[in-house]
Amino acid sequence: MYNLVPDRMPSHWNAEGEADSYAPKAAALFVLPTILLVLYLILTFITRIEIYKENIKKSETPYFKFRLAFVVFMFGLYVATIIQVLRPFSMNYFIIPAMSFLFLFVSQLLRNIKRNFFIGFRTPWMLSSEKVWDATNKAASRFFMAYSFVILIGLFFPLHSDSGNITHPYSRDCCAGVLFLQALQAGK
């Protein structure tokens, strides 16, 4: 396979699904799987130094599902990159549904995760109260679930959805505002 791909492979795509950054093929073919393995190991073992060990044990199944979804997403991105250089297509047809899938898994994780220092929305205020933790992460869960469908719909209506650009600043501002208001309400 190494000889089938070009010397430079895409490493980033713009909102239109077109490659706008490239990497040498050795880096593209070998670095991403290595990074994926290292990240999976970190995600697996970092919970062993958790202060709220009992909460992590209670959240083991959703956390495992998230790690699995993350690995599937990253491996899918790796395979889609290789396919894209061999048979060009707009990466939006992979990235948008894959991001929607990942956001959906994050929403499920946030809904079920117990208070901890590694997973979920963590600030000193949220960590100080189980009530605030639950309310904030449940609000974030609803937002991530809704947003997973919004970006998927954007695939079919690219002119009306900012081309599916999931990093649009208004989206981040909206997310931050919803979480802040929900946390304030939970703190009353």
Side-chain angles (χ1 to χ4, degrees), residues 35-164:
I35 291 171
L36 177 58
L37 176 63
V38 169
L39 283 174
Y40 184 80
L41 291 173
I42 289 170
L43 288 172
T44 300
F45 294 108
I46 198 161
T47 57
R48 295 179 193 248
I49 60 172
E50 172 64 57
I51 292 173
Y52 297 110
K53 287 186 189 297
E54 288 302 313
N55 285 352
I56 286 293
K57 286 180 184 172
K58 292 176 188 173
S59 305
E60 198 169 315
T61 300
Y63 185 56
F64 171 78
K65 288 178 182 177
F66 170 73
R67 284 193 326 251
L68 182 62
F70 179 74
V71 168
V72 167
F73 171 78
M74 294 299 289
F75 184 72
L77 180 60
Y78 176 72
V79 170
T81 301
I82 293 170
I83 292 170
Q84 198 269 340
V85 298
L86 297 174
R87 298 185 139 247
F89 66 96
S90 172
M91 279 298 280
N92 278 353
Y93 293 111
F94 170 78
I95 290 174
I96 291 174
M99 286 299 296
S100 178
F101 167 78
L102 193 62
F103 274 58
L104 194 58
F105 267 86
V106 169
S107 77
Q108 297 307 307
L109 175 71
L110 291 174
R111 178 180 301 147
N112 298 305
I113 202 77
K114 300 297 179 198
R115 185 171 45 157
N116 68 86
F117 280 96
F118 296 112
I119 312 153
F121 286 85
R122 304 160 323 273
T123 66
W125 181 40
M126 291 173 198
L127 288 168
S128 68
S129 164
E130 195 77 39
K131 181 180 175 184
V132 173
W133 172 272
D134 287 341
T136 303
N137 281 287
K138 282 185 179 24
S141 171
R142 289 189 297 273
F143 180 81
F144 273 81
M145 182 177 289
Y147 203 56
S148 73
F149 294 112
V150 167
I151 62 174
L152 189 59
I153 290 168
L155 183 64
F156 302 104
F157 303 102
L159 296 176
H160 305 292
S161 67
D162 195 30
S163 298

Side-chain angles (χ1 to χ4, degrees), residues 9-14 17-22 84 91:
M9 292 181 59
S11 59
H12 187 269
W13 296 266
N14 61 23
E18 302 163 347
D20 61 3
S21 183
Y22 295 85
Q84 198 269 340
M91 279 298 280

Side-chain angles (χ1 to χ4, degrees), residues 155-177:
L155 183 64
F156 302 104
F157 303 102
L159 296 176
H160 305 292
S161 67
D162 195 30
S163 298
N165 185 354
I166 61 167
T167 59
H168 196 280
Y170 297 127
S171 303
R172 291 191 305 265
D173 295 345
C174 181
C175 182

